[in-house]
Amino acid sequence: MKKRILVFLFLLLFPLKVLASQSGWIEKNGYYKPYVKVKANNCLVLFITEKGKVYRGKCRKNRSVVTPGKKFFTKSVRITYVILKLEDFSYPKVIEIGEITE
């Protein structure tokens, strides 16, 4: 009975994890940069630190990985990201909100 419940929960939650954007940290020359993989074109990603500082990353053509311009010394910084879809002459739409984990 317990195994059936666990298998059911796994099958229920696994697709939700696959649909979410992938995020993490890129290490380069001793510094760390947060990244988010997006599927949509013409979007803006806001990276918000725990201290309230906001950094932005813009989608580039033919690239699915978005990073901010800011480099961090450590991965222990807690960062929340917001993916915004930019449309012509209208307000941006929030596609996803998440947190970057180690």
Side-chain angles (χ1 to χ4, degrees):
M1 179 82 169
K2 289 182 182 180
K3 286 184 182 181
R4 285 185 185 174
I5 293 173
L6 290 175
V7 170
F8 177 73
L9 286 175
F10 176 75
L11 292 176
L12 180 68
L13 296 176
F14 182 72
L16 297 176
K17 178 103 172 141
V18 172
L19 292 175
S21 296
Q22 296 176 346
S23 62
W25 292 91
I26 298 173
E27 180 182 2
K28 191 170 186 181
N29 297 331
Y31 294 104
Y32 299 96
K33 277 189 151 188
Y35 76 89
V36 175
K37 286 187 180 180
V38 293
K39 298 172 188 132
N41 291 334
N42 199 21
C43 66
L44 177 73
V45 180
L46 300 176
F47 296 91
I48 305 166
T49 65
E50 55 194 5
K51 293 182 179 179
K53 296 213 178 214
V54 179
Y55 303 100
R56 69 177 181 90
K58 182 118 168 76
C59 292
R60 307 263 187 227
K61 291 184 180 179
N62 301 325
R63 293 187 69 193
S64 63
V65 176
V66 179
T67 61
K70 173 72 175 165
K71 298 176 187 176
F72 294 93
F73 294 109
T74 179
K75 295 190 290 187
S76 65
V77 179
R78 192 174 132 212
I79 295 183
T80 303
Y81 65 87
V82 179
I83 301 174
L84 301 171
K85 174 86 170 151
L86 304 175
E87 297 185 7
D88 297 329
F89 304 110
S90 65
Y91 294 107
K93 293 182 181 178
V94 176
I95 296 176
E96 184 179 335
I97 298 173
E99 190 171 319
I100 297 178
T101 58
E102 290 186 43

